[in-house]
Amino acid sequence: MKKIAAYILPVALLAASCAKQPQASQPTNTQATATTTTATAAPFDANQAFGPGKVVELKQPESNKVIIKLMFKNGSMVDPADKKGLTYTTAQMVTESGTQEMPVAQIKDKIYPWAANYYANVDKEVTTFTFAVHQDFLDEFYPIVRGLLLQPAFAEDDFKRVKSNQQNFVDQVIRASSDEEYSKKALEDLLFRGTNYQHVVEGTSATVPNITLDDVKKHWQNYFTENNVLIGIAGNYSQDFLNKLKADVAQLSDVNPSIPNAAEPNKPDGVQVEIIKKSDALGSAIFTGTPMPVTRSADDFAALMVANSYLGEHRKSYGKLYDKIRTTRSMNYGDYSYIEWYDQGGSFQLPNPNVPRTSNYFALWIRPVQIAEGLKKQYAELDTIDVGHAHFALRLAIREVDNLIKNGMTQEEFELTRKFLRSYMKLYIQTTEKQLGFLMDSRFYGRQDYIEEMDRLLANLTVEDVNKAVKKYWQTDNMFITIVTDDSEAEPLKQALLNNTPSPMSYSNLVKEGLPQEVLAEDDVIANYRVNVKDVKIIDSKDTFR
Amino acid sequence: MRHRLVALLLLLAFTVTTAMAQQGNQQNNILPYPIHQKQLDNGLNVVTVPYNSPGLAAFYIVVRAGSREEVEKGKTGFAHFFEHMMFRGTEKYSKEAYGDIMKAMGAAANANTSIDRTVYHMTGNAEMLDKMFEIEADRFQNLKYSVHDFKTEAGAVKGEYTKNSASPYQQLYEKLVSTAFKKHTYAHTTMGFFEDVVDMPNQYDYSLTFFDRFYRPEYATIVVVGDVTPERVNNLAQQYFGDWKRGSYKPDIATEPKQKETRYAHVKQEGFPPYLSLNFKGPAFSDKDKDLPALSILSTILFAENSDLYRKLVVNEQKARFIGGGPQFSRDPNLISVSASLLDAKDMQYVKDELMKALQDAKTKPIDAQKIEETKSRIKYSFAMSMDSPDAIANSLARFIWLSGNPESLNNIYKVYDSITAQDLMNAAKKYFVTETMTVGTIAPTEKSPVK
């Protein structure tokens, strides 16, 4: 329920703050116990990380708590075609429905004074349950953990509530809460259309109603088993405790689940655009993506990390895209690039663990830019425009990628970016939970400790390696693009993209008068930069994720 | 040089006594680490918490100026906009040079603004602390940007407004605060009124005034948590911020007149979960009074997932997807919000009546002592488990620094929590949950609010 709750949080939370970019998260300082590393990952089969006896340990005797994580190799990609969302429902039913001995209300009463908590996170390829408790209450808390795993109640009333929330999410919340998150999910829908990776993990409007409680019980039996689980444990626990946990996890269903391969992303033919129109959108929120066959399991990932960071590190003001689109031209709040799935990027500055994926793509995120209607209202000098900043911003971003592919990074840029990453990556694992999460993800990718191993790979990297990797894995001729925008902007933007119409940047006089000549000259080039657009469709918001 | 040495010795003596005094009664404190404080002659407060995080430190600067300080008409949203300008460079370090240094440090660095404050933070390599101090001291004292840079940044702020305003919750929040407050600056959000955001490119001169007013040592506190010593931090603070000149500005923030009848704020939105929030005028933050801790405990008991009301509305009747609430901790009296996300707007009146009934009952029916103890335990354990990194600790301290000016308020307020009784909860309910001071916020598909 954590994800859905995030969308229906009270207004009070919105009062919190206006971040330039969001908060960093927390640190800690312990060592992983398992640190045997290999510089090169073995042939990559994520399934090998899961199954009887697979454990990731992180002992921290000084800690005041214990974190248990159970990661199952399943995810939304194992959902049946007519019951998309079933894995999500099942995971929610484990956390929201108590045990056969103790209804969920009683559990909540019991753990209330301890501030213990647990939640499930479902992604495309894995489902992860996380349990956290202060060491003072570990012995009392553990029977609840055990009960949830081995005797989940799956009560009818809880099912009704879980499903209703899920339906509400796929019908309403997803389209109306955040246009940028919406465009990101729409991009995945396009990239993986027709495959087991297409649908959002919560399912679709049409399939959630098909899910029955009986489906949930069977799904639990067939896809959450001792044969596809990875145990993670961190904090202040004893060996006896771990032995007990292992013995109990071994009592999960003994079915050998049949886990399909993760679908490859579709190959775009030219640049294919979907514009999603909705009423009263103030801006155009843009996501682009194109298949990229490299993940953390490959050593080349380190080279791509440097290139990616140089182009647009998530929520950092140092990237090329951010510099040119936001800092220089004042067009939006930020612009970044990605070489792997970034969970809830609007909320977190540092990456969340436990969303590992084998199927990958390269993506650009252009946060909402102004539409024609808004610009015209604000500036009399822009009275004649019929398309806002989206076309120009897209051209600029794509040209930056092209420039990087063509020209590569300089030695100096490379050194600085690498130095940044080697320090910055250590901030991924500041808390016990994050550290454990990243260690478990490491196993998914066939590594022991991703953070350590990447550091070693980065240390040995050259600028030539990076420039070679960029040429090998990145291109911009064939891409998918999704744009969520206002209905007034959709058709003019479609025509402009399809016809490759010049898109001079529509500055206000205020900004334009102070811009250096080289920026204006670059604008002229960008305005006519050819993007290989082959197809543009307009979709009504109400027809998405059906 | 000699002066500096004397100052250093004095400083060390001061630090040692403070540390010892604090360690003396550390056992009674919620934060299990001593908070070292030193105030420089210019009024800048320096707070250090050594924490076992080898090689890692969190470096925060809290400026006690937020949208609360935006007292002039047409200038709402300025504290936040100004926060953006702080990344636009100085003569010594241009924005590009600043960016390169940040990049070389590999730190997670950022800033954010809220109603009562602006916070700049950096978490990274403790060995780079010297550099962190140097670049922050430079921009806090010598910020310099062109008119053009100023106008350009305004576009990014408008982009931020655009991004946020896609959410109906944000739209409601804007309406809600401007309805609940008529005089006080809490009437506008930290983003500011849209017309002011649009007008920002024209406010260059005002931005200089703003910097001159608030980016002064008496408004600021430095917080460093992690693999550091107070001596090192205090020395660096003296070295880099010692010459920072005090200012003299004090904003005249209007007192909000007493509200005398229920007010309404509504957002019409189809295809979105209906939402109800009841907002009562609450108290300002204090680390001595019982009101805020009592309201926090009471709202936890009334609306937590194991509360009677949650079970009735969310679990059994399934008319709400979520209920929750609590008081806002802020420098001046602000709102206590109680909210519910509903399945059907038709049930809004019913849900509102149920929430009101629970609040009404709290005025006269004493809450079970065991429940109160369990809630205190929950609040304490929740805090203890979350204090697991320099950043988490610095964040917690920053909050109390902006609220009261003193990080020890963190320890103080948890002691007040401990003292709360059933009678205190009833007193707080009687005092604050009154319809005269309530503003009802709603999101529903209807033209007007579906509740009375």
Side-chain angles (χ1 to χ4, degrees):
Chain A
M1 202 54 67
K2 207 182 176 195
K3 243 183 201 170
I4 284 184
Y7 284 90
I8 56 175
L9 277 179
V11 161
L13 286 186
L14 288 170
S17 63
C18 297
K20 177 167 175 278
Q21 295 151 351
Q23 299 275 19
S25 55
Q26 307 85 10
T28 196
N29 55 347
T30 37
Q31 293 296 316
T33 49
T35 49
T36 340
T37 53
T38 49
T40 307
F44 171 37
D45 176 6
N47 292 301
Q48 287 181 7
F50 299 82
K54 303 281 187 179
V55 183
V56 173
E57 274 204 71
L58 178 61
K59 269 206 172 109
Q60 299 178 328
E62 285 176 20
S63 170
N64 65 5
K65 63 185 169 191
V66 175
I67 311 276
I68 300 166
K69 279 180 180 280
L70 294 182
M71 183 191 273
F72 290 90
K73 179 79 178 62
N74 49 33
S76 61
M77 70 173 192
V78 308
D79 291 344
D82 59 338
K83 294 177 195 291
K84 291 176 188 131
L86 176 58
T87 307
Y88 180 84
T89 324
T90 308
Q92 294 309 310
M93 281 301 289
V94 172
T95 57
E96 289 299 311
S97 174
T99 74
Q100 280 164 22
E101 285 178 353
M102 204 185 271
V104 68
Q106 214 176 317
I107 293 178
K108 283 179 179 168
D109 271 342
K110 202 165 165 67
I111 69 174
Y112 175 81
W114 313 335
N117 67 72
Y118 57 91
Y119 64 89
N121 189 56
V122 183
D123 194 50
K124 301 277 185 189
E125 297 189 44
V126 298
T127 299
T128 310
F129 295 94
T130 301
F131 304 86
V133 66
H134 195 279
Q135 59 177 355
D136 290 357
F137 306 110
L138 178 62
D139 292 342
E140 288 174 87
F141 183 55
Y142 183 67
I144 294 172
V145 177
R146 188 181 184 281
L148 292 171
L149 294 172
L150 300 180
Q151 288 116 24
F154 292 140
E156 187 72 50
D157 275 356
D158 297 324
F159 177 65
K160 201 176 141 202
R161 192 178 74 256
V162 162
K163 214 171 103 167
S164 161
N165 283 340
Q166 193 173 345
Q167 188 79 50
N168 174 60
F169 182 85
V170 296
D171 286 350
Q172 301 189 335
V173 176
I174 198 171
R175 289 184 191 81
S177 294
S178 159
D179 287 350
E180 46 193 31
E181 193 67 17
Y182 185 14
S183 66
K184 183 181 185 180
K185 294 205 158 119
L187 174 69
E188 290 219 321
D189 189 279
L190 188 51
L191 263 165
F192 295 100
R193 195 156 288 170
T195 75
N196 60 15
Y197 240 70
Q198 178 188 351
H199 63 282
V200 295
V201 297
E202 290 84 357
T204 69
S205 291
T207 59
V208 172
N210 300 338
I211 297 169
T212 67
L213 186 54
D214 199 41
D215 293 331
V216 167
K217 289 176 184 166
K218 283 189 189 140
H219 203 64
W220 176 251
Q221 193 67 19
N222 292 332
Y223 288 96
F224 292 80
T225 85
E226 61 163 329
N227 296 310
N228 68 331
V229 68
L230 170 63
I231 300 173
I233 183 162
N236 191 356
Y237 60 89
S238 67
Q239 190 57 44
D240 280 353
F241 179 82
L242 175 58
N243 292 341
K244 194 162 55 176
L245 174 67
K246 280 158 78 173
D248 288 334
V249 170
Q251 291 179 52
L252 282 165
S253 157
D254 62 1
V255 171
N256 243 318
S258 142
I259 308 292
N261 288 330
E264 296 284 325
N266 296 319
K267 289 196 173 62
D269 173 19
V271 172
Q272 295 178 245
V273 187
E274 282 195 359
I275 298 175
I276 297 164
K277 61 169 184 177
K278 55 188 282 190
S279 56
D280 300 327
L282 281 188
S284 297
I286 307 171
F287 245 105
T288 71
T290 189
M292 189 192 81
V294 183
T295 70
R296 289 182 196 182
S297 66
D299 288 357
D300 274 355
F301 198 72
L304 289 173
M305 280 178 75
V306 176
N308 183 64
S309 196
Y310 169 77
L311 189 62
E313 181 74 34
H314 177 75
R315 317 289 310 247
K316 287 271 157 293
S317 52
Y318 330 130
K320 279 275 166 200
L321 298 175
Y322 187 101
D323 177 53
K324 293 208 166 179
I325 301 176
R326 172 177 160 159
T327 308
T328 304
R329 293 178 175 80
S330 181
M331 293 168 69
N332 69 355
Y333 187 54
D335 308 274
Y336 321 97
S337 74
Y338 299 87
I339 49 170
E340 61 180 345
W341 171 250
Y342 200 104
D343 204 43
Q344 298 181 67
S347 309
F348 295 100
Q349 185 180 5
L350 289 157
N352 273 336
N354 299 148
V355 286
R357 296 181 175 192
T358 50
S359 195
N360 208 10
Y361 57 95
F362 167 58
L364 305 176
W365 180 20
I366 299 171
R367 307 192 80 166
V369 292
Q370 303 297 311
I371 58 173
E373 208 175 76
L375 288 166
K376 288 202 274 199
K377 258 187 226 159
Q378 190 176 356
Y379 305 107
E381 63 270 32
L382 298 180
D383 201 33
T384 54
I385 62 168
D386 60 355
V387 180
H389 288 165
H391 197 182
F392 183 87
L394 259 173
R395 279 185 154 133
L396 191 163
I398 288 170
R399 181 170 170 267
E400 281 308 307
V401 181
D402 286 342
N403 284 345
L404 182 56
I405 295 171
K406 199 164 61 191
N407 308 325
M409 293 171 72
T410 66
Q411 182 69 30
E412 196 185 343
E413 287 162 346
F414 162 74
E415 293 293 351
L416 189 57
T417 310
R418 171 168 71 172
K419 192 171 178 190
F420 163 78
L421 276 173
R422 291 190 66 189
S423 177
Y424 191 65
M425 279 191 81
K426 297 184 176 92
L427 300 175
Y428 291 8
I429 48 172
Q430 293 176 71
T431 66
T432 304
E433 186 186 339
K434 294 254 182 180
Q435 197 174 354
L436 178 63
F438 272 98
L439 280 175
M440 293 174 80
D441 292 354
S442 302
R443 307 302 158 85
F444 178 99
Y445 290 110
R447 294 190 176 275
Q448 284 296 308
D449 186 335
Y450 160 67
I451 306 284
E452 271 192 16
E453 288 163 42
M454 279 298 140
D455 188 60
R456 208 165 307 141
L457 288 166
L458 285 167
N460 294 322
L461 210 58
T462 66
V463 67
E464 289 77 27
D465 295 333
V466 174
N467 294 337
K468 214 167 96 186
V470 169
K471 274 195 184 1
K472 185 170 171 189
Y473 297 113
W474 288 2
Q475 52 78 34
T476 60
D477 278 345
N478 306 292
M479 303 178 81
F480 291 114
I481 298 175
T482 51
I483 306 172
V484 174
T485 192
D486 190 61
D487 42 17
S488 66
E489 183 86 355
E491 189 59 37
L493 180 58
K494 174 183 169 175
Q495 293 309 326
L497 288 166
L498 263 181
N499 301 323
N500 211 20
T501 313
S503 56
M505 173 60 193
S506 311
Y507 290 111
S508 65
N509 290 344
L510 276 172
V511 169
K512 192 171 186 176
E513 66 197 9
L515 281 169
Q517 197 47 49
E518 62 264 27
V519 172
L520 297 172
E522 189 181 38
D523 285 350
D524 289 341
V525 178
I526 295 166
N528 293 289
Y529 198 74
R530 196 177 171 282
V531 176
N532 186 28
V533 176
K534 286 206 175 160
D535 186 34
V536 185
K537 285 193 177 68
I538 296 177
I539 317 272
D540 198 297
S541 172
K542 67 179 181 340
D543 297 325
T544 52
F545 307 138
R546 289 294 172 196
Chain B
M1 187 64 189
R2 205 169 136 219
H3 283 299
R4 194 181 263 185
L5 192 64
V6 172
L8 199 74
L9 287 170
L10 282 172
L11 182 154
L12 281 173
F14 178 82
T15 313
V16 171
T17 39
T18 320
M20 282 171 69
Q22 281 163 344
Q23 274 161 342
N25 67 39
Q26 197 56 46
Q27 277 182 332
N28 300 323
N29 289 340
I30 184 85
L31 190 72
Y33 319 105
I35 301 168
H36 302 267
Q37 292 196 65
K38 161 144 180 77
Q39 194 164 53
L40 304 191
D41 288 344
N42 59 13
L44 176 70
N45 198 21
V46 184
V47 175
T48 312
V49 177
Y51 176 80
N52 182 21
S53 56
L56 193 64
F59 177 90
Y60 278 51
I61 302 182
V62 182
V63 180
R64 296 182 82 200
S67 50
R68 171 181 177 270
E69 276 66 30
E70 293 160 358
V71 291
E72 290 144 310
K73 195 168 163 36
K75 305 294 192 287
T76 69
F78 213 86
H80 167 242
F81 179 43
F82 194 80
E83 169 218 318
H84 283 241
M85 294 317 299
M86 284 291 285
F87 291 82
R88 284 281 175 173
T90 66
E91 252 173 29
K92 189 171 176 192
Y93 295 113
S94 66
K95 64 176 186 286
E96 291 78 18
Y98 183 84
D100 281 353
I101 291 174
M102 298 304 295
K103 205 166 169 179
M105 291 206 300
N110 219 316
N112 58 73
T113 308
S114 183
I115 52 173
D116 291 335
R117 87 308 186 268
T118 304
V119 174
Y120 298 83
H121 58 91
M122 217 181 269
T123 300
N125 190 339
E127 284 172 15
M128 304 287 280
L129 196 61
D130 202 292
K131 197 72 189 169
M132 292 181 188
F133 264 98
E134 186 201 334
I135 57 170
E136 293 303 72
D138 181 45
R139 69 172 174 159
F140 271 72
Q141 294 169 77
N142 308 313
L143 184 69
K144 196 169 182 186
Y145 46 79
S146 67
V147 178
H148 172 71
D149 273 4
F150 180 84
K151 290 174 178 172
T152 306
E153 193 61 35
V157 174
K158 194 180 172 205
E160 188 175 356
Y161 186 97
T162 304
K163 148 190 110 58
N164 292 345
S165 69
S167 164
Y169 294 130
Q170 179 68 23
Q171 294 162 22
L172 177 64
Y173 178 65
E174 249 184 38
K175 277 196 182 177
L176 188 66
V177 290
S178 61
T179 306
F181 293 96
K182 297 298 174 196
K183 295 272 187 207
H184 193 278
T185 46
Y186 289 162
H188 56 265
T189 67
T190 301
M191 283 305 302
F193 294 125
F194 184 64
E195 60 270 28
D196 294 348
V197 173
V198 168
D199 189 52
M200 275 173 182
N202 303 315
Q203 300 294 338
Y204 175 77
D205 289 342
Y206 183 76
S207 76
L208 303 181
T209 306
F210 192 89
F211 185 56
D212 187 54
R213 283 177 180 175
F214 297 110
Y215 283 68
R216 296 285 187 179
E218 72 272 20
Y219 277 94
T221 303
I222 289 174
V223 185
V224 184
V225 181
D227 187 5
V228 295
T229 62
E231 292 77 14
R232 183 173 171 217
V233 170
N234 290 339
N235 288 343
L236 288 169
Q238 183 61 43
Q239 181 185 345
Y240 288 107
F241 286 92
D243 294 335
W244 196 9
K245 298 280 175 293
R246 264 181 202 270
S248 58
Y249 179 77
K250 285 198 177 100
D252 184 11
I253 296 164
T255 306
E256 182 65 20
K258 195 168 168 49
Q259 188 176 334
K260 293 188 180 133
E261 59 179 11
T262 305
R263 298 173 186 166
Y264 295 87
H266 177 64
V267 168
K268 181 191 172 194
Q269 180 78 45
E270 283 163 20
F272 192 77
Y275 181 77
L276 167 72
S277 78
L278 309 176
N279 306 273
F280 302 87
K281 293 280 168 61
F285 176 80
S286 149
D287 65 0
K288 294 177 191 69
D289 295 346
K290 288 186 165 190
D291 287 5
L292 261 185
L295 288 163
S296 296
I297 289 176
L298 181 61
S299 49
T300 306
I301 291 173
L302 292 180
F303 309 117
E305 283 193 5
N306 67 337
S307 67
D308 294 343
L309 196 61
Y310 189 97
R311 278 185 189 147
K312 182 176 165 71
L313 295 175
V314 179
V315 179
N316 296 329
E317 297 176 356
Q318 303 196 6
K319 291 191 186 298
R321 297 185 194 283
F322 158 89
I323 61 168
Q328 171 126 353
F329 281 45
S330 54
R331 291 182 67 180
D332 294 330
N334 207 332
L335 301 175
I336 311 162
S337 299
V338 176
S339 57
S341 176
L342 279 76
L343 279 73
D344 191 333
K346 289 192 187 77
D347 293 323
M348 211 174 261
Q349 187 64 45
Y350 170 75
V351 170
K352 186 195 164 212
D353 293 344
E354 288 293 315
L355 293 171
M356 291 301 289
K357 190 166 163 293
L359 297 172
Q360 200 60 32
D361 286 351
K363 296 177 184 175
T364 51
K365 292 183 186 160
I367 286 173
D368 179 51
Q370 192 191 335
K371 188 80 190 173
I372 298 173
E373 287 313 306
E374 284 179 359
T375 305
K376 289 178 187 173
S377 162
R378 178 183 178 80
I379 289 169
K380 276 196 283 192
Y381 274 105
S382 177
F383 180 82
M385 281 168 59
S386 69
M387 288 299 102
D388 61 352
S389 70
D391 198 60
I393 296 168
N395 241 320
S396 279
L397 292 175
R399 182 178 187 218
F400 292 95
I401 286 163
W402 84 64
L403 286 169
S404 73
N406 180 7
E408 287 291 346
S409 287
L410 166 68
N411 289 320
N412 298 343
I413 199 162
Y414 275 91
K415 285 170 194 152
V416 184
Y417 272 105
D418 267 347
S419 74
I420 300 294
T421 64
Q423 187 60 49
D424 295 327
L425 301 186
M426 286 192 289
N427 293 348
K430 271 184 225 158
K431 190 168 167 188
Y432 294 105
F433 294 131
V434 290
T435 52
E436 290 80 7
T437 70
M438 179 168 70
T439 302
V440 180
T442 44
I443 301 173
T446 49
E447 279 301 330
K448 288 192 173 166
S449 172
V451 294
K452 284 180 190 150

